[in-house]
Amino acid sequence: MTRKVVVIGAGPAGYVCAIRLKQLGQDVTVVEKEFLGGTCLNVGCIPSKAMIAAGSLMAKIRHGEQMGITVQGVDIDLGKLVEWKANIVKKLTGGIGTLFKQHGIPWMEGAATIRDKNTVVVKTKDGEQTLACDDIVIATGSAPISIPGFQIDEDEVWSSTGALAPKKLPKHLLVIGAGVIGLELGMMYRRLGSEVTVVEFTGGALPGSDPDCVKVIERTLKKSKTKLLTNHAATGYVKHGDGFRVTAKGPKGEQTIDCDQILCAVGRRPYADGLGLEALGLKTVKPGFIEVDSQMRTAIPNVYAIGDMVGQPMLAHKGSHEGLVAAAVIAGKPDENDARCIPSVIYTHPEVASVGLSEVQAKEAGHELAIGKFPFAASGRAMTVGETDGFIKIIADAKTDEVLGVHMVGPEVTELIAEAGLAIELGATTEDISRTIHAHPSLTEAMMEAAEAVHKMAIHIYQK
Ligand code: FAD
Ligand code: NAI
């Protein structure tokens, strides 16, 4: 039976869900209040990675001397960079519009409110429209958090959105939060030429990431003369000269930092403003996530929720996967969200990627651990691309040899992590990985060697 479905939000969770619903023969309408592609395509994953690529190119050009390449007067036209990034965004978001057209998926531009479990009201620029439906999928995403003393206005205080559309290159950028956004964008600005100071509340960068990976990132921050002020909370700022004076409170009291731009990157919150969850009777859990079961169903059986709205990790690929599950379930397929792991990729320099359990989680789950680590310094391919910082670490179960978690820092690890995800999903052992022939010379050989290192059998490093 064909069901009439309204998907609210066209980010990577919502638009993927809508396309799959249509592929499965359902009657779907999408409501989107701001932009097709959501945060990810417009002000998140895609624009940030475009600008980070520009920062990497600048750094590569500047450091070409070791290969005998010297370039004089490297400069950046920020306006052109922003325009290049905007064109990529335009192509991709236009692509979603084209896909909707090809599939025959109608979409309405406007803010949706759920009146009851079978009615969605959309406020468009031409007035209100009412949509009757069998099912509703909530995919309304997330929004940046402001903290007291730093109201995000995208002028004096940027969120990631402002940081991805700069009018000028800051001389000194003060970043609040050494999490994923703070470090991806902070490192990008450093590589583009800004001085950068990062104020972080906890004791180190990238809280929650593998501590060995974090050490490599903190070392790089130091090498690049990016200041990281840990155990400090930014408490406020005042105008000072041509810029700002920021106050940060730490264990030894307050200190001030002068800068000409502030980036607030202290996390994101689930976004359901104006959606009408209370009237619908849908309760949320702190900080506003909607609870769902393994079929992405909320407490109201014909209302589904996916993406950043349903919890951590707030990642595009997690949202898309949930969208596919919700679509299948609505279409009557026996599906559920049973992914064993969700990869995480961080586009710092060097990159960080991980999938599966951390050492602490694996121990807590009762595993006896066998760990293999292979440094990129011993990889021929890493040397030929001039990027030898970092390693691949595999955490396995000592008894069964099953791969439990993989943590990487180094060149192209955001690509290399896919093999590790597949290994965990398929229940592979480290022997499976080491018996798989990896091409030479490639960075993937480090994965094979890390698997061999679990049994102290790596060829290109000496293990006692
Ligand atoms: P969103 O993408 O936020 O989409 C929700 C959509 O719903 C929006 O378009 C919004 O306008 C719309 N909406 C909201 N309320 C209503 C309403 N009432 N009516 C109609 N429409 C509504 N993740 C990664 O996996 N990899 C990355 O490299 C990465 N980089 C990032 C970089 C930055 C700077 C940021 C900010 C985020 C990044 N993320 C990354 C996270 C990623 O963008 C999100 O996890 C992802 O976009 C969530 O998808 P979603 O569909 O749940 O929500
Ligand atoms: P985050 O949770 O990664 O980091 C926030 C940081 O701010 C933490 O380290 C926290 O300790 C710190 N902090 C909080 N309050 C503070 C204060 N008052 N002073 C100083 N430090 C403070 O959040 P972030 O970086 O904003 O990113 C939000 C989300 O966006 C991520 O969790 C992730 O889901 C998504 N994202 C994913 C990316 C990727 O996958 N590559 C890239 C960018 C964002």
Side-chain angles (χ1 to χ4, degrees), residues 56-311:
S56 296
L57 184 57
M58 285 277 280
K60 272 194 189 131
I61 295 170
R62 283 203 186 104
H63 297 122
E65 321 91 68
Q66 54 172 348
M67 292 178 180
I69 302 166
T70 46
V71 181
Q72 304 295 326
V74 184
D75 206 357
I76 182 145
D77 180 336
L78 205 62
K80 246 192 174 150
L81 171 59
V82 171
E83 195 186 314
W84 172 72
K85 172 219 73 173
N87 277 329
I88 296 171
V89 169
K90 203 169 149 197
K91 263 188 212 144
L92 287 170
T93 54
I96 307 293
T98 306
L99 281 169
F100 278 2
K101 222 181 238 161
Q102 288 165 334
H103 282 284
I105 300 172
W107 77 276
M108 294 174 65
E109 198 175 349
T113 301
I114 304 174
R115 181 179 288 161
D116 61 51
K117 67 186 180 59
N118 295 108
T119 319
V120 173
V121 178
V122 186
K123 224 183 248 161
T124 71
K125 61 178 178 354
D126 304 318
E128 264 187 16
Q129 289 205 38
T130 304
L131 302 172
C133 55
D134 300 313
D135 300 293
I136 297 172
V137 181
I138 299 171
T140 48
S142 63
I145 297 173
S146 279
I147 50 171
F150 297 92
Q151 190 56 48
I152 292 170
D153 60 2
E154 307 300 3
D155 178 28
E156 294 180 357
V157 182
W158 281 340
S159 72
S160 48
T161 301
L164 292 170
K167 293 191 180 72
K168 62 175 179 39
L169 194 66
K171 283 195 191 77
H172 187 172
L173 174 68
L174 185 289
V175 181
I176 309 172
V180 194
I181 293 181
L183 286 197
E184 281 192 358
L185 299 187
M187 283 181 147
M188 171 196 88
Y189 272 104
R190 182 71 193 119
R191 298 181 105 197
L192 289 178
S194 300
E195 188 185 336
V196 175
T197 300
V198 186
V199 178
E200 165 58 40
F201 194 60
T202 68
L206 297 176
S209 293
D210 177 84
D212 291 340
C213 292
V214 171
K215 270 187 214 148
V216 175
I217 294 300
E218 289 184 347
R219 211 167 54 218
T220 318
L221 287 171
K222 209 169 185 178
K223 259 199 275 181
S224 67
K225 297 192 171 59
T226 305
K227 288 178 218 97
L228 174 63
L229 199 58
T230 55
N231 295 310
H232 275 73
T235 50
Y237 76 98
V238 290
K239 285 209 163 92
H240 179 74
D242 288 340
F244 314 107
R245 179 159 283 179
V246 174
T247 315
K249 204 169 177 186
K252 290 186 185 149
E254 268 189 0
Q255 58 170 296
T256 56
I257 305 130
D258 292 344
C259 63
D260 62 338
Q261 184 65 58
I262 300 164
L263 164 60
C264 183
V266 297
R268 293 177 65 84
R269 64 170 175 95
Y271 181 86
D273 299 9
L275 198 57
L277 293 186
E278 304 79 26
L280 187 65
L282 261 191
K283 288 201 187 82
T284 56
V285 290
K286 222 175 159 191
F289 292 123
I290 298 177
E291 276 187 307
V292 287
D293 64 14
S294 63
Q295 294 192 310
M296 311 318 298
R297 264 201 194 92
T298 67
I300 301 170
N302 73 318
V303 178
Y304 297 75
I306 54 178
D308 283 6
M309 250 328 283
V310 301

Side-chain angles (χ1 to χ4, degrees), residues 212 371-375 391-394 446 449-450 453-454 458 461 463:
D212 291 340
I371 295 176
K373 205 167 162 186
F374 188 80
F391 59 83
I392 293 184
K393 173 161 90 178
I394 298 185
E449 295 256 18
V454 170
I461 45 165
Q463 296 178 284

Side-chain angles (χ1 to χ4, degrees), residues 9 11-13 32-33 38-40 44-45 49 112 139-141 307-308 314-317:
E32 167 54 52
K33 74 175 170 62
T39 303
C40 173
C45 323
K49 270 77 242 186
T140 48
D308 283 6
M314 290 191 184
L315 296 174
H317 42 280

Side-chain angles (χ1 to χ4, degrees), residues 374 379-381 438-450:
F374 188 80
S379 151
R381 182 60 183 151
H438 288 65
H440 177 76
S442 73
L443 295 168
T444 65
E445 288 170 290
M447 184 72 185
M448 179 177 68
E449 295 256 18

